[in-house]
């Protein structure tokens, strides 16, 4: 397990460094990428106390991702927007899984959680972004769709893991 986490962390760091080099041509994109990087790492930690009092984690998490996707819309190229949305989902899922590392009852449930929540957060970040490529006001449609998918995912996974 530790070896797997170490390899994934190394790949993650390599991917972030590569992204920083790729988008460092534009100062605005470089600052945006750094902001997204740190925001997505800190976001699940900031959401944890909110989710205690607001019992709808799917809404809180998708709204947080939507705020970050809104910043991505400043990027000039569509390919950059998609790449940054993928990065938002990946970093959000990675940092959330790191938080749940301390609450997982056994290694199996943590590995299972890691394998299924990472794709969920990546997909929901893309779902939030894709309608905005047509028009920025359609971000609300993306938030609603992503929240529904996240809600049903939480129902399914809670009945599966127990």
């Amino acid at each position: 397990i530790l070896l797997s986490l170490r390899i994934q962390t190394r790949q993650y760091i390599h991917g972030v460094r590569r992204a920083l080099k790729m988008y460092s041509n534009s100062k605005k994109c470089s600052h945006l990428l750094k902001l997204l990087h740190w925001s997505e790492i800190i976001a699940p930690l900031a959401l944890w106390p909110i989710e205690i009092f607001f019992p709808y984690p799917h809404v809180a998490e998708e709204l947080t991702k939507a705020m970050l996707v809104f910043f991505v819309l400043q990027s000039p190229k569509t390919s950059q927007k998609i790449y940054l949305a993928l990065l938002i989902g990946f970093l959000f899922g990675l940092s959330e899984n790191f938080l749940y590392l301390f609450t997982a009852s056994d290694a199996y449930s943590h590995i299972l959680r890691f394998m299924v929540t990472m794709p969920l957060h990546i997909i929901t970040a893309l779902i939030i972004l894709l309608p905005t490529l047509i028009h920025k006001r359609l971000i609300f449609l993306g938030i609603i769709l992503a929240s529904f998918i996240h809600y049903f995912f939480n129902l399914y996974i809670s009945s599966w893991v127990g």
Side-chain angles (χ1 to χ4, degrees):
I1 295 170
L2 292 176
L3 179 62
S4 173
L5 281 172
R6 184 175 174 206
I7 291 170
Q8 290 170 351
T9 304
R10 188 177 298 156
Q11 290 172 344
Y12 159 72
I13 291 170
H14 178 70
V16 170
R17 283 183 184 157
R18 188 173 34 174
L20 284 172
K21 286 179 186 176
M22 185 184 306
Y23 296 118
S24 63
N25 303 355
S26 164
K27 208 173 208 180
K28 185 177 183 180
C29 287
S30 178
H31 292 305
L32 178 65
L33 193 61
K34 288 177 186 177
L35 172 72
L36 288 174
H37 173 70
W38 289 109
S39 300
E40 278 304 313
I41 289 174
I42 295 170
L45 181 61
L47 283 176
W48 209 352
I50 293 170
E51 289 178 359
I52 291 171
F53 298 108
F54 184 68
Y56 305 104
H58 55 283
V59 174
E61 291 177 14
E62 299 312 323
L63 283 173
T64 303
K65 281 188 255 182
M67 286 188 306
L68 293 164
V69 166
F70 191 74
F71 287 115
V72 165
L73 295 176
Q74 297 175 10
S75 181
K77 294 182 182 176
T78 302
S79 61
Q80 285 179 335
K81 292 175 187 176
I82 292 171
Y83 181 78
L84 291 172
L86 288 169
L87 192 61
I88 286 171
F90 179 76
L91 292 174
F92 196 93
L94 186 70
S95 56
E96 183 181 86
N97 280 317
F98 182 74
L99 286 176
Y100 283 105
L101 178 66
F102 303 110
T103 61
S105 58
D106 60 352
Y108 172 74
S109 64
H110 183 68
I111 291 170
L112 179 65
R113 179 177 173 74
F114 186 83
M115 289 187 323
V116 295
T117 58
M118 289 297 288
L120 168 79
H121 287 294
I122 292 169
I123 289 169
T124 55
L126 284 174
I127 287 172
I128 293 169
L129 172 74
L130 290 177
T132 64
L133 297 178
I134 298 169
H135 195 280
K136 287 183 183 181
R137 290 185 185 197
L138 292 177
I139 194 167
F140 295 111
L141 176 64
I143 294 168
I144 291 168
L145 287 172
S147 294
F148 274 119
I149 289 171
H150 199 145
Y151 172 74
F152 288 115
F153 171 82
N154 286 348
L155 281 179
Y156 177 72
I157 205 69
S158 65
S159 68
W160 193 33
V161 174

